[in-house]
Amino acid sequence: MEINLITKNSHEHAKEKLATMYKDNFTSAEKKEYIPHHKFSQGPYLAMETSDENSPEFLLDAASQIATLGLGFNATALFGTTMHESAWTGNYLDSTFIEIADSFKELLREKASNNRLTPVFVNSGAEANEVALIMAYKKRAHTAANQIIAFEGSFHGRFLSTLFSTWNPSKREPYQIEGHETTFIKYPETKSDQFLIEIDSEWTKLWENPFAQNFEAKLADFEKNADELLRSEIASLRQLHEVLKENTHFAILVEPMQCEGGDRYSTNRFHVALNLLVKSYKVSVIYDEVQTGFGLGRDFFWHRTFDLKDSQGNQINPEYITCAKKAQSGIVLTEAPCWENNEFQTSSVIRGYYQAIAIDQLRYKIATIEEYTRKKLSELVSKWDQLSSPRCFGVAFAFDLSDSKDIAPFISNRFDLGLLYYQAGDNTLRFRLNTAWTNEDIDYLFDAINEIANRVYKGESTDLKYTPKTKVNSPNEYLWHSKLVEAFKGDVQDKDAFNFAQEFFSKEFNLELIKIDGENFDYYKHKIEEIQRHTYEPTRQTSIEKFKKIAHCKDSIAIALLSETKQLVGISFAGKISHFPHESGLRLVKYFDNSNTLYMLDTTIVNMEQSQGMGKYLKYALTLLASAYGNDYIYGRNRDIHAGAMLAINCSLGAIIEMRLKENYLDDEEHRDVIIYRQNLKWKNEDLKYSTSPILNTASFESMPTLVNKVCLSNFIDESFMANLKEFKGVVPKELQHFFTASGHSECVEKIFKSILIKNQKQRTKVISFNHDYFGKQSFMSATLSGVLDFYPNSKVDTLGQLKEKLSSKEYLAVFIGDLLVNFSHDELKEVIKIAHDNGTKVVFNESVYFHSKKKLFSKEHGIIPDASYIHIAGQIGICMLQEEVYESRPLMMISTWDGDAYALSQAVAYLKSPAQTSKEFKIINDSSYSFALKAPNIFGNQTSKKWYFTC
């Protein structure tokens, strides 16, 4: 399938469909007027539905779903998510998921150069920042400290505390709670991407001891000969120093590059001083790498580019690093977390793991993209006096417009040319590429931007035509992975597996798939040797005796591809691992002694560059056969970086990195480590009563595209998301059929509170809830309501009598009632609602537990209607349901970047429609112990009902 850019066809088609979502204020009218077709999306191109189901149009996404996609759409590695049972079931106690989480931890430690870090998985970037702030607050050195420091120009999310730490007044001020204002420090921005400068050793020594008597005198010496940038840095640091002296702040939020603020860079010199200064006051440094992390810049973590070191050369580590976007879930990295068990989505953690591995292997591709983009950006800006400050680092680039009024036409023209990009700050256009971009894609992007500049500044318009060379092959990925999932479940026989693979190669490539064994090996022996010599450098060539050993073993697998002229064009060999004890590292692997374990010797295609993915599909075929033949595992070895493309293919088959052997290749080339991975070939069907998710143990192939691709629901929703959200409309009381979607339990609380707050015009901010009730713990507001923290204005009560007395003061914005709903009679709840309303207080229900146990809403089943209600269904999806009076329907007022997760919603609908006897059980988290997590502290969960509300 060829890629054709979007036209009015896809736009008009979407407008009609989206209108059904906006009718009667069901959802806010804020989505981009295109409907994604995820199955056909490819590389940097997001497929969009048209009236013809089989003829999508494409949008060139130059924002990469606002930096969520590091590899592009339907990237090979991300299909590995589908290979794991826990991605479908949400069972985070699944033994394989625990291994993945542990392997992910080791990778993150390596990339941060800190082997003491532990990842805490959460649901989003804003949630990661809130959790880091909560941990910093609980560990604060100054017990009276209750304020946060951030920088002018910052953006940290749309939860309350992160929103109050976001500089843009239009985003922050409508919700600001008095007494919880963040202290903002001026940001010493450099408009240049050359922000790595040599640091004077005396500068470092100075900031290590800001209490020294001669501190100001020495600082003045630096100031005497300072250029404008250094003066701005000193001014910022002086301001920060004065704030820290108050001992009223417990954390500082820092973006290593301010993204939403306008791609604002700052120097390594400034960050060294900042870290040393803040640490001297025992205040926590939180590096917000939500957008910059996972390879946006040159390093995996942007702050590592600063090479932060003290005067003795010791690495300076922040107390917290937060991630999301390309991490696919929220992550807090810290050395001593307050807790490690959390609400998160297993599928997103797995997808983030594979994206991390692949991005790390593509670091040189990122450098190549930067080099080419920088050249094109310089050429563009040199043509137009109205464009300035070009900056490019990694796969991020931006430029400024001389007049902010011109931003609007630059934005309004983007879809006409098939592009997606965004404004940042007041007058900046920013772009986020990914590793799927080719030079041809970049050429068109800059041609299109130049065309838009022509329209804006000269009033001239030309018809710019472009047909990408990229071809859509993603349907084949879905075909193979659907079959592989069936095999892993035990539903594919060996003969059927071979026939499936044989038919595929015949149809797609006009090639014949054959088996190689002891009878025909000698015939193909010399061709195998020739393929090895042609493809690999000497140190990576495999001895022909090893191929022979596999071919003559009946329990091994050897397959090959023949052309029409019977020439050997590809091979794939895997043999019993016990036959290869001398391969470096294999004796150390977990399942070396398992008799059903294979070792992946080699998969090679002649002319790999022109193979159109044949090598990948050949590896898929071998994996399918290995599973159908009853094997349990395949192990393999990939050289770091050199075999990065092959590692991505192995990731797509569910590879888990078991170990990395340092300096394993004895040559003089760079990157001599070897990565040893394992593929599981069957699902273990572990006891799902320990799952904390209402997800079925069923692979729904219809939802596979949203399992592979995480998109920003704040911008685009597809047909399945619309249909699935309407399914939940059917179980909700008519009065509450005004929806927001959210990425977790705490975000449900945040969105409902903010909506009620703004509709109340902030006349009240105080909330009230019962002791021993639960509303999440991953934001300051949800933790306040749950009684975990006493942070925002609130009261706690034990009885209805106490509640009535408190409400009579007429000072409460809302009363929240959760699991304790079932403890009260209908008359009591109706009385609570009446008294609350008589005193100007709204009532909010948390119906999550009731829904999980009954697949119904308490409010609808019992006819007791609050002002707002929510259900955290599973993982990264929750639904907020509000009466129109308290529903903030204005576009973009209540969004978050992800706004939930389409895959989680589809699985939740499957649960909703499942047979009545299907039930879910809760597992008390602190009854379990496993390698990558600590026991959850007793302060979390409902101590009355002994239930935990961690859904994955």
Side-chain angles (χ1 to χ4, degrees):
M1 178 187 293
E2 286 194 349
I3 290 177
N4 296 302
L5 298 182
I6 54 173
T7 66
K8 290 182 179 179
N9 187 2
S10 51
H11 183 222
E12 294 301 320
H13 174 77
K15 284 177 66 175
E16 183 179 340
K17 296 288 182 71
L18 288 169
T20 66
M21 298 295 290
Y22 304 150
K23 185 179 179 182
D24 300 324
N25 255 354
F26 174 41
T27 63
S28 180
E30 60 194 10
K31 308 303 180 188
K32 303 289 188 293
E33 291 180 328
Y34 296 92
I35 297 176
H37 200 325
H38 299 302
K39 187 174 181 179
F40 292 111
S41 297
Q42 191 78 48
Y45 295 93
L46 176 58
M48 298 298 185
E49 284 188 4
T50 66
S51 54
D52 183 347
E53 183 179 352
N54 295 311
S55 298
E57 297 175 342
F58 293 82
L59 185 67
L60 181 55
D61 185 357
S64 296
Q65 292 301 290
I66 315 181
T68 292
L69 302 177
L71 307 170
F73 295 100
N74 285 316
T76 295
L78 302 190
F79 279 84
T81 313
T82 69
M83 298 288 91
H84 295 288
E85 186 178 19
S86 58
W88 300 95
T89 65
N91 182 9
Y92 73 104
L93 296 180
D94 176 277
S95 60
T96 300
F97 176 75
I98 292 168
E99 288 187 273
I100 291 171
D102 198 52
S103 181
F104 202 176
K105 175 181 69 178
E106 294 306 315
L107 176 61
L108 294 171
R109 285 177 168 180
E110 178 194 340
K111 295 295 102 183
S113 296
N114 184 350
N115 62 11
R116 298 184 300 275
L117 289 177
T118 295
V120 179
F121 297 113
V122 295
N123 287 312
S124 68
E127 190 166 288
N129 282 330
E130 288 264 338
V131 167
L133 286 167
I134 290 171
M135 289 184 180
Y137 179 72
K138 291 174 70 64
K139 292 182 171 186
R140 64 196 186 279
H142 309 290
T143 55
N146 64 353
Q147 290 182 277
I148 300 164
I149 304 171
F151 285 94
E152 295 180 5
S154 62
F155 180 86
H156 297 291
R158 294 179 185 265
F159 283 27
L160 290 172
S161 292
T162 55
L163 188 57
F164 299 162
S165 303
T166 289
W167 173 245
N168 189 328
S170 65
K171 291 182 171 73
R172 166 172 45 89
E173 290 178 353
Y175 308 101
Q176 183 69 62
I177 296 176
E178 186 177 351
H180 290 273
E181 294 84 1
T182 289
T183 300
F184 288 100
I185 305 296
K186 288 187 178 298
Y187 186 76
E189 177 189 8
T190 171
K191 287 292 186 180
S192 170
D193 51 27
Q194 305 302 306
F195 56 84
L196 299 176
I197 59 180
E198 186 175 350
I199 301 174
D200 188 327
S201 60
E202 293 302 315
W203 172 266
T204 304
K205 291 176 183 177
L206 172 68
W207 294 103
E208 285 178 331
N209 186 10
F211 309 111
Q213 287 186 347
N214 60 352
F215 174 80
E216 285 297 335
K218 287 190 173 183
L219 185 57
D221 288 341
F222 276 102
E223 211 163 10
K224 285 178 186 176
N225 302 312
D227 59 15
E228 183 179 351
L229 177 59
L230 179 54
R231 285 198 299 272
S232 70
E233 291 175 354
I234 291 173
S236 176
L237 292 164
R238 281 188 189 278
Q239 183 187 4
L240 176 59
H241 195 183
E242 291 304 310
V243 168
L244 290 168
K245 289 176 182 178
E246 299 169 5
N247 288 334
T248 57
H249 297 80
F250 61 89
I252 182 168
L253 282 163
V254 189
E255 294 167 276
M257 186 269 281
Q258 289 189 342
C259 299
E260 300 299 319
D263 273 25
R264 306 175 79 209
Y265 295 159
S266 50
T267 70
N268 54 329
R269 176 180 59 198
F270 172 71
H271 283 270
V272 166
L274 180 152
N275 276 269
L276 293 171
L277 174 62
V278 173
K279 288 177 185 295
S280 70
Y281 281 90
K282 298 182 180 179
V283 170
S284 293
V285 175
I286 302 171
Y287 265 114
D288 179 349
E289 293 256 20
V290 166
Q291 187 166 154
T292 56
F294 282 57
L296 182 69
R298 295 175 186 172
D299 288 280
F300 191 88
F301 291 117
W302 192 294
H303 80 273
R304 292 288 301 134
T305 303
F306 299 138
D307 193 24
L308 302 172
K309 289 181 179 176
D310 64 18
S311 61
Q312 302 301 309
N314 300 309
Q315 180 173 312
I316 304 170
N317 294 313
E319 280 69 32
Y320 302 92
I321 305 166
T322 58
C323 313
K325 303 289 188 182
K326 289 191 283 293
Q328 305 293 284
S329 65
I331 304 176
V332 179
L333 287 165
T334 185
E335 292 184 12
C338 297
W339 68 86
E340 294 183 36
N341 298 334
N342 256 312
E343 301 162 357
F344 59 85
Q345 185 163 306
T346 53
S347 59
S348 291
V349 172
I350 296 169
R351 193 187 317 108
Y353 171 64
Y354 289 126
Q355 184 148 250
I357 293 171
I359 287 172
D360 184 44
Q361 292 293 308
L362 289 167
R363 65 193 79 155
Y364 291 108
K365 175 70 180 293
I366 290 172
T368 301
I369 290 173
E370 177 190 334
E371 181 181 8
Y372 192 76
T373 302
R374 183 186 300 281
K375 172 177 171 288
K376 300 295 292 188
L377 178 60
S378 177
E379 292 172 357
L380 172 73
V381 173
S382 66
K383 291 180 182 178
W384 300 96
D385 293 338
Q386 300 90 339
L387 309 185
S388 64
S389 302
R391 44 209 187 271
C392 177
F393 201 77
V395 289
F397 77 88
F399 57 87
D400 294 345
L401 306 186
S402 58
D403 190 338
S404 60
K405 292 179 182 177
D406 294 332
I407 288 284
F410 265 89
I411 294 295
S412 63
N413 274 281
R414 58 187 174 169
F415 290 140
D416 188 41
L417 289 162
L419 299 181
L420 181 64
Y421 55 82
Y422 294 92
Q423 174 186 1
D426 294 329
N427 64 328
T428 299
L429 293 176
R430 56 88 185 264
F431 301 79
R432 300 291 181 259
L433 308 185
N434 58 64
T435 60
W437 282 72
T438 66
N439 286 355
E440 290 77 17
D441 299 325
I442 296 171
D443 287 342
Y444 174 72
L445 171 62
F446 281 97
D447 287 345
I449 297 170
N450 188 67
E451 166 61 20
I452 293 172
N454 263 316
R455 296 180 184 185
V456 174
Y457 297 127
K458 292 185 176 180
E460 299 174 358
S461 178
T462 58
D463 190 14
L464 195 62
K465 296 291 185 182
Y466 177 59
T467 301
K469 293 180 180 179
T470 301
K471 303 297 181 184
V472 176
N473 57 32
S474 49
N476 281 338
E477 293 285 350
Y478 289 102
L479 176 72
W480 272 102
H481 282 82
S482 296
K483 198 67 176 179
L484 285 163
V485 167
E486 289 182 6
F488 285 17
K489 291 170 62 181
D491 295 337
V492 177
Q493 303 302 312
D494 52 1
K495 185 177 181 180
D496 293 337
F498 189 81
N499 288 342
F500 173 86
Q502 201 171 43
E503 290 172 10
F504 174 83
F505 285 106
S506 175
K507 179 181 177 182
E508 290 293 320
F509 301 107
N510 196 26
L511 297 173
E512 181 185 0
L513 180 70
I514 66 166
K515 296 178 182 179
I516 293 181
D517 53 27
E519 294 184 5
N520 62 6
F521 177 78
D522 287 343
Y523 181 80
Y524 294 109
K525 173 183 174 181
H526 297 298
K527 186 61 178 177
I528 293 172
E529 291 178 309
E530 184 180 329
I531 289 175
Q532 286 280 304
R533 285 193 298 270
H534 178 78
T535 307
Y536 300 121
E537 68 273 17
T539 57
R540 290 180 61 201
Q541 291 175 18
T542 303
S543 164
I544 193 63
E545 291 303 314
K546 295 179 181 180
F547 290 104
K548 182 177 180 179
K549 185 182 296 184
I550 289 175
H552 284 80
C553 176
K554 65 180 182 65
D555 293 326
S556 296
I557 301 174
I559 54 177
L561 292 172
L562 300 180
S563 67
E564 286 184 279
T565 59
K566 302 301 180 182
Q567 295 298 306
L568 195 67
V569 296
I571 55 170
S572 190
F573 280 62
K576 291 293 183 182
I577 197 170
S578 58
H579 293 170
F580 300 94
H582 300 132
E583 292 289 328
S584 181
L586 287 193
R587 288 184 187 273
L588 302 175
V589 301
K590 188 173 181 178
Y591 296 107
F592 181 80
D593 294 325
N594 183 305
S595 61
N596 292 321
T597 298
L598 300 176
Y599 171 62
M600 189 68 228
L601 184 68
D602 186 57
T603 298
T604 304
I605 296 290
V606 176
N607 296 323
M608 285 290 282
E609 296 82 4
Q610 302 170 10
S611 67
Q612 298 179 302
M614 280 191 290
K616 174 172 65 176
Y617 298 130
L618 191 56
K619 180 65 189 288
Y620 288 177
L622 185 139
T623 301
L624 179 65
L625 293 172
S627 178
Y629 292 172
N631 292 285
D632 296 331
Y633 309 103
I634 296 177
Y635 278 93
R637 291 162 37 96
N638 289 141
R639 185 170 181 169
D640 187 28
I641 303 299
H642 293 263
M646 197 67 222
L647 183 57
I649 293 171
N650 293 323
C651 284
S652 77
L653 292 165
I656 303 169
I657 295 176
E658 273 202 17
M659 66 182 70
R660 178 187 287 262
L661 301 180
K662 299 291 186 181
E663 295 293 330
N664 194 252
Y665 279 88
L666 304 179
D667 56 35
D668 294 324
E669 294 191 49
E670 287 189 85
H671 309 295
R672 293 178 292 275
D673 294 355
V674 69
I675 293 168
I676 297 182
Y677 67 87
R678 184 188 83 238
Q679 297 169 229
N680 293 0
L681 297 175
K682 60 179 65 171
W683 288 357
K684 297 180 180 180
N685 296 313
E686 295 181 8
D687 194 345
L688 283 177
K689 75 178 183 180
Y690 294 138
S691 176
T692 54
S693 168
I695 302 303
L696 300 175
N697 184 19
T698 303
S700 171
F701 299 134
E702 291 77 14
S703 61
M704 192 179 280
T706 54
L707 176 57
V708 174
N709 298 285
K710 188 167 183 64
V711 300
C712 298
L713 298 176
S714 57
N715 284 319
F716 299 103
I717 53 177
D718 68 356
E719 289 265 26
S720 67
F721 186 86
M722 289 188 274
N724 289 332
L725 202 59
K726 289 173 184 176
E727 287 286 346
F728 273 93
K729 187 177 182 181
V731 301
V732 175
K734 186 176 181 180
E735 297 90 334
L736 294 175
Q737 292 181 0
H738 309 288
F739 283 16
F740 303 124
T741 53
S743 291
H745 198 145
S746 293
E747 188 168 81
C748 288
V749 170
E750 295 277 330
K751 286 198 173 190
I752 286 177
F753 175 85
K754 289 195 299 180
S755 187
I756 295 174
L757 180 75
I758 204 165
K759 299 297 281 190
N760 180 254
Q761 299 181 332
K762 291 204 302 184
Q763 295 179 31
R764 301 179 183 183
T765 59
K766 199 170 185 179
V767 294
I768 187 169
S769 59
F770 286 93
N771 283 312
H772 310 300
D773 217 347
Y774 189 71
F775 304 93
K777 67 179 191 310
Q778 319 223 126
S779 74
F780 277 105
M781 179 54 76
S782 62
T784 295
L785 286 165
S786 297
V788 174
L789 295 174
D790 184 12
F791 193 79
Y792 284 122
N794 80 99
S795 291
K796 306 294 291 184
V797 296
D798 290 302
T799 66
L800 280 176
Q802 292 173 354
L803 177 63
K804 295 174 187 177
E805 182 180 349
K806 291 282 188 181
L807 291 176
S808 66
S809 67
K810 300 182 184 296
E811 62 178 322
Y812 294 96
L813 175 71
V815 54
F816 283 72
I817 306 174
D819 192 26
L820 300 182
L821 277 171
V822 295
N823 291 9
F824 302 123
S825 69
H826 293 182
D827 289 341
E828 287 173 328
L829 286 173
K830 289 176 180 177
E831 185 182 7
V832 167
I833 292 174
K834 183 180 185 306
I835 292 172
H837 288 174
D838 288 345
N839 289 283
T841 300
K842 302 303 180 185
V843 179
V844 180
F845 287 174
N846 169 16
E847 303 190 54
S848 305
V849 173
Y850 194 88
F851 171 78
H852 289 165
S853 60
K854 296 181 179 290
K855 300 185 187 176
K856 298 177 181 178
L857 290 189
F858 178 94
S859 53
K860 183 168 185 178
E861 190 170 26
H862 299 284
I864 301 174
I865 313 300
D867 298 284
S869 180
Y870 73 88
I871 46 176
H872 176 214
I873 306 168
Q876 289 174 307
I877 190 65
I879 298 178
C880 308
M881 306 155 287
L882 298 88
Q883 293 206 38
E884 189 155 21
E885 180 187 358
V886 295
Y887 184 65
E888 175 50 85
S889 61
R890 287 179 295 170
L892 308 181
M893 290 298 290
M894 300 298 295
I895 65 163
S896 56
T897 300
W898 284 340
D899 267 348
D901 184 85
Y903 169 71
L905 182 62
S906 68
Q907 293 294 82
V909 167
Y911 172 71
L912 183 67
K913 293 180 174 181
S914 62
Q917 65 268 26
T918 302
S919 62
K920 68 163 288 189
E921 298 183 27
F922 288 96
K923 173 76 173 174
I924 298 179
I925 302 304
N926 63 358
D927 276 358
S928 68
S929 61
Y930 47 97
S931 61
F932 82 99
L934 299 171
K935 293 181 179 180
N938 291 329
I939 58 171
F940 299 127
N942 189 321
Q943 298 303 304
T944 301
S945 64
K946 298 297 181 186
K947 291 178 179 176
W948 290 88
Y949 314 127
F950 298 167
T951 51
C952 303

